[in-house]
């Protein structure tokens, strides 16, 4: 089933997270042949975690990048063998399936791989007439690979092990080499057959379909041995015995592995530099999931995504330029994000993307579960600061009222809970980490600026840490590589924001003429919405002074 990821902006706020969950649910109901997966590309805020826990909703999956990964390939179920599989069966499997590498799997985990070169070495080993030793192999396995006739079988244990001898030496020389339990390959020579059984051969393989006398059968019974007869000559029989050995004796134990989260770019480097020309996909527990070959990597693979709550390249997840964007659902300014193909782009000046998603449910008569209604309600409440922001519209209020009825919640009490969680600042938190939680970057021609926003119910708490935040803001500016960096400490109760600047303070003074100072920071009364109250005025000054 085709997967489509619904993902919000970097440093996701509550509306970004909740609208992604809600829109993925909506799309899954109207397009049932696709799998819509809510995703995020940053850490969840305390507020978002509270909302998800409140409604027992699973958090969106984390996508570090939108670059195509192994997960985006259509991996076929892997063809593999168990450790006790004979080499002969692996060779037949490779020929029948047209594959060059066969993983060896034990208890779900890959322990080795059999390659064409491994099989070639098995063949070369017989050309050199190297000593052949059989490790424990079931008799029936040898019979099958050799296509042998079982003349007699008096073995107590039905496994064969030991050295393999070919009766080419003088009999007295061969008898000096053989040990009890060994295997002998012999032709039509009754005295030799009897002598070898008497010396302790456990298995006798008679070649060229030679006859077996009753005397030989009697001695085999007396000694507890088995006698097989094959149509091959001695060389052919020895070669096939090699192929009856378990793959663990010939497999390679070094092989490249990747995970489903590895990017295809990284996988290409691994595959094209590997002697195997392949990589093996394992899950987090080491279970084999599939095999990637050069052919798989020649396909044009892209993640299919729907972007919600943003439409700017600077706010989009990493690797968005390598993804296939299908839709954009947003309520912000146009940010110049370009796509390869035409897309469905819905942008409406309301207070929350969750408002837009809720209206889609209503428009198309899509059933909404209580938990989905709950997260969408939280998205509206959070992004409008319970209707206090200047971006709030009547539609936001109407959709929130509709969702409150579905969830059977007291809207005001619920909103206070959500916002209270959003304004909590953990003890001993790193100011830089706090600034990064909700920061957005804006491009204005050759200049750029970043705006971080921190919600608080008490300015005095933050003012005590003013110097630490100033240092952190300077670090953030350098990290983002922007010309100017601002942080808004927004207090919904006082309906005002304290602003700290790293960059040219005159820009802020011009944008908010007459703004008063409080403990060295700019106090902007009535400014609570970064999107509507702050960014447009900063952008206007930068545009005029270019």
């Amino acid at each position: 089933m085709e997967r489509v990821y619904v993902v919000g902006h970097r440093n996701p706020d509550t509306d970004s997270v909740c609208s992604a969950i809600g829109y993925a649910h909506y799309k899954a109901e109207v397009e049932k042949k696709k799998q819509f997966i809510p995703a995020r590309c940053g850490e969840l805020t305390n507020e978002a975690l509270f909302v998800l826990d409140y409604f027992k909703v699973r958090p969106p999956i984390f996508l570090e990048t939108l670059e195509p990964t192994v997960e985006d390939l259509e991996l076929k179920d892997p063809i593999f063998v168990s450790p006790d599989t004979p080499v002969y069966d692996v060779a037949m499997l490779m020929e029948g399936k047209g594959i060059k590498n066969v993983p060896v799997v034990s208890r779900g985990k890959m322990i080795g791989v059999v390659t064409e070169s491994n099989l070639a070495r098995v063949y070369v080993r017989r050309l050199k007439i190297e000593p052949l030793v059989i490790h424990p192999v079931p008799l029936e396995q040898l019979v099958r690979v050799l296509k042998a006739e079982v003349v007699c079988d008096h073995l107590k244990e039905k496994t064969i092990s030991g050295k393999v001898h070919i009766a080419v030496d003088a009999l007295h020389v061969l008898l000096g080499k053989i040990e009890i339990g060994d295997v002998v390959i012999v032709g039509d020579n009754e005295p030799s057959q009897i002598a070898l059984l008497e010396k302790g051969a456990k298995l006798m393989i008679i070649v060229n379909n030679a006859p077996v006398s009753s005397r030989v059968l009697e001695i085999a019974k007396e000694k507890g041995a088995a006698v097989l007869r094959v149509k091959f000559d001695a060389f052919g029989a020895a070669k096939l015995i090699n192929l009856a050995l378990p793959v663990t004796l010939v497999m390679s134990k070094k092989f490249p592995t990747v995970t489903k989260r590895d990017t295809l770019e990284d996988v290409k480097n691994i595959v094209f530099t590997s002697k195997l020309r392949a990589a093996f996909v394992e899950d987090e527990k080491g279970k084999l999931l599939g095999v990637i070959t050069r052919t798989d990597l020649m396909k044009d693979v892209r993640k299919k995504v729907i972007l919600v709550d943003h439409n700017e390249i600077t706010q989009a997840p990493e690797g968005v330029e390598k993804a296939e964007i299908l839709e954009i659902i947003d309520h912000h300014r146009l940010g110049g994000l370009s796509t390869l193909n035409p897309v469905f782009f819905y942008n409406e000046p309301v207070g929350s993307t969750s408002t837009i998603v809720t209206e889609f449910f209503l428009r198309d008569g899509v059933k909404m579960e209580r938990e989905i209604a709950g997260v969408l309600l939280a998205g509206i409440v959070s992004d409008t600061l319970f209707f206090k922001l200047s971006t709030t519209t009547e539609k936001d209020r109407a959709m929130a009222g509709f969702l409150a009825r579905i969830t059977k919640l007291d809207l005001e009490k619920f909103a206070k809970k959500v916002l209270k969680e959003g304004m909590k600042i953990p003890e001993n938190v790193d100011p830089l980490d706090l600034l990064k939680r909700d920061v957005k970057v804006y491009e204005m021609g050759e200049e750029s600026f970043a705006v971080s926003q921190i919600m608080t119910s008490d300015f005095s708490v933050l003012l005590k840490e003013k110097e630490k935040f100033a240092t952190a803001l300077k670090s953030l500016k350098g990290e983002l590589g922007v010309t100017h960096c601002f942080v808004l400490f927004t207090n919904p109760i006082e309906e005002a924001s304290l602003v700290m600047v790293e960059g040219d303070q005159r820009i802020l003074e011009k944008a908010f003429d007459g703004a008063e100072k409080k403990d060295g920071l700019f106090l902007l009364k009535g400014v609570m919405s970064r999107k509507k109250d702050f960014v447009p005025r900063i952008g206007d000054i930068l545009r005029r002074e270019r």
Side-chain angles (χ1 to χ4, degrees):
M1 184 180 287
E2 182 180 291
R3 290 190 300 269
V4 179
Y5 298 94
V6 184
V7 60
H9 50 73
R10 302 180 193 182
N11 306 309
D13 57 14
T14 302
D15 185 40
S16 175
V17 172
C18 293
S19 60
I21 293 171
Y23 198 61
H25 185 84
Y26 162 80
K27 293 293 290 187
E29 290 297 315
V30 297
E31 293 187 39
K32 297 185 181 293
K33 292 185 178 180
K34 296 179 182 179
Q35 182 184 11
F36 293 89
I37 305 169
R40 59 186 172 89
C41 55
E43 296 298 320
L44 295 170
T45 63
N46 289 339
E47 185 179 271
L49 287 169
F50 165 77
V51 170
L52 297 177
D53 182 66
Y54 190 92
F55 293 104
K56 306 304 177 189
V57 174
R58 184 179 299 174
I61 67 168
F62 176 70
L63 289 178
E64 188 173 351
T65 178
L66 292 184
E67 281 191 60
T69 60
V70 172
E71 192 172 27
D72 299 310
L73 289 173
E74 293 182 9
L75 291 176
K76 298 177 181 177
D77 291 336
I79 298 172
F80 60 88
V81 295
S82 59
D84 57 355
T85 304
V87 175
Y88 176 85
D89 288 352
V90 178
M92 293 300 100
L93 180 64
M94 292 170 76
E95 182 180 358
K97 297 292 185 180
I99 54 180
K100 297 182 178 181
N101 302 295
V102 177
V104 182
V105 174
S106 175
R107 298 181 180 179
K109 295 185 178 181
M110 187 173 169
I111 61 171
V113 59
V114 182
T115 68
E116 288 181 325
S117 60
N118 294 139
L119 297 183
R121 280 195 293 272
V122 172
Y123 185 76
V124 170
R125 183 185 304 165
R126 289 286 9 109
L127 289 179
K128 293 180 179 178
I129 316 294
E130 291 179 359
L132 175 59
V133 178
I134 294 183
H135 292 258
V137 173
L139 176 64
E140 62 179 359
Q141 188 164 295
L142 277 170
V143 171
R144 179 169 60 82
V145 173
L146 290 167
K147 298 179 182 178
E149 172 194 352
V150 181
V151 180
C152 68
D153 175 12
H154 301 292
L155 297 173
K156 292 181 180 179
E157 294 182 5
K158 302 302 180 181
T159 58
I160 303 297
S161 60
K163 296 178 182 178
V164 179
H165 306 274
I166 302 176
V168 292
D169 294 322
L171 183 58
H172 71 279
V173 174
L174 182 59
L175 290 174
K177 295 178 180 178
I178 196 168
E179 298 175 0
I180 295 174
D182 282 353
V183 178
V184 293
I185 300 174
V186 64
D188 185 8
N189 187 326
E190 185 183 49
S192 292
Q193 294 170 4
I194 292 172
L196 292 169
L197 288 171
E198 292 282 5
K199 189 68 190 301
K202 186 175 185 179
L203 173 65
M204 177 176 288
I205 301 171
I206 298 177
V207 300
N208 297 318
N209 277 332
V212 182
S213 69
S214 58
R215 177 63 181 148
V216 170
L217 294 177
E218 288 176 8
I219 296 175
K221 182 178 181 180
E222 179 185 326
K223 296 295 184 180
V227 178
L228 305 181
R229 181 162 48 197
V230 298
K231 63 182 180 180
F232 313 106
D233 60 15
F235 175 77
K239 185 172 69 171
L240 285 173
I241 287 177
N242 254 327
L243 297 179
L245 300 179
V247 294
T248 49
L249 298 180
V250 301
M251 69 183 186
S252 299
K253 295 182 179 181
K254 292 183 178 181
F255 46 87
T257 61
V258 297
T259 69
K260 294 176 76 172
R261 290 193 174 185
D262 287 326
T263 66
L264 294 189
E265 196 64 37
D266 290 340
V267 174
K268 284 179 182 178
N269 293 331
I270 293 171
V271 170
F272 286 100
T273 57
S274 167
K275 292 181 180 180
L276 302 180
R277 293 293 188 263
F280 303 90
V281 186
E282 295 181 341
D283 67 10
E284 61 278 1
K285 295 182 179 179
K287 180 181 177 181
L288 179 66
L289 301 176
V291 181
I292 299 176
T293 64
R294 288 177 295 176
T295 304
D296 296 316
L297 296 173
M298 291 173 66
K299 302 171 184 175
D300 183 23
V301 179
R302 294 176 181 272
K303 268 187 170 60
K304 291 178 171 58
V305 298
I306 295 174
L307 304 181
V308 297
D309 203 34
H310 70 292
N311 73 93
E312 297 195 47
I313 188 68
T314 55
Q315 296 177 23
E318 293 287 345
V320 68
E321 68 281 355
K322 295 182 180 180
E324 181 182 351
I325 301 172
L326 303 180
E327 301 181 23
I328 301 174
I329 312 297
D330 194 18
H331 69 127
H332 295 91
R333 68 169 194 158
L334 298 182
L337 184 65
S338 61
T339 62
L340 293 174
N341 301 309
V343 301
F344 176 76
F345 186 2
Y346 190 94
N347 189 287
E348 185 176 0
V350 292
S352 163
T353 303
S354 294
T355 296
I356 298 171
V357 175
T358 303
E359 188 176 31
F360 285 173
F361 274 94
L362 277 172
R363 182 194 66 189
D364 296 332
V366 176
K367 183 181 178 181
M368 187 186 296
E369 304 295 336
R370 179 181 182 274
E371 59 269 20
I372 299 301
V375 295
L376 288 172
L377 178 59
I380 296 174
V381 164
S382 174
D383 233 31
T384 63
L385 285 182
F386 192 32
F387 313 137
K388 288 185 177 181
L389 294 185
S390 57
T391 53
T392 305
T393 66
E394 286 304 315
K395 184 175 286 188
D396 295 304
R397 292 187 174 88
M399 293 300 106
F402 166 72
L403 295 169
R405 290 191 292 275
I406 294 178
T407 57
K408 297 180 180 179
L409 290 170
D410 182 300
L411 181 54
E412 185 173 352
K413 289 182 179 179
F414 175 69
K416 287 181 179 179
K417 286 182 179 179
V418 171
L419 297 180
K420 182 180 178 182
E421 290 297 325
M423 288 187 284
K424 278 184 179 179
I425 298 177
E427 292 183 8
N428 302 319
V429 67
D430 184 346
L432 182 58
D433 289 339
L434 199 58
L435 291 176
K436 288 181 178 180
R437 286 186 184 182
D438 186 9
V439 61
K440 294 183 178 179
V441 177
Y442 304 88
E443 303 284 351
M444 297 296 300
E446 295 182 357
E447 293 202 68
S448 59
F449 64 99
V451 184
S452 175
Q453 188 167 30
I454 297 172
M455 295 296 172
T456 180
S457 57
D458 187 356
F459 282 144
S460 62
V461 174
L462 293 169
L463 287 171
K464 290 178 182 178
E465 306 292 334
K466 183 177 63 173
E467 297 305 321
K468 290 182 180 179
F469 276 107
T471 302
L473 191 63
K474 186 174 182 178
S475 297
L476 182 64
K477 177 177 177 288
E479 190 173 313
L480 296 177
V482 293
T483 315
H484 315 281
C485 203
F486 307 88
V487 56
L488 274 67
F489 300 105
T490 301
N491 188 328
I493 299 171
E494 295 188 20
E495 297 189 14
S497 293
L498 277 175
V499 184
M500 184 179 290
V501 185
E502 177 61 37
D504 191 349
Q505 291 199 7
R506 292 175 300 172
I507 294 171
L508 193 66
E509 293 169 347
K510 292 176 181 178
F512 297 92
D513 186 30
E516 61 180 282
K517 288 279 192 78
K518 182 176 182 178
D519 293 325
L521 278 67
F522 291 87
L523 177 62
L524 305 181
K525 295 180 179 179
V527 173
M528 291 193 295
S529 169
R530 168 175 50 193
K531 174 178 62 181
K532 191 171 181 178
D533 301 334
F534 189 80
V535 171
R537 296 176 75 165
I538 297 296
D540 185 55
I541 296 299
L542 290 175
R543 191 179 295 109
R544 279 190 282 156
E545 294 192 351
R546 279 194 305 201

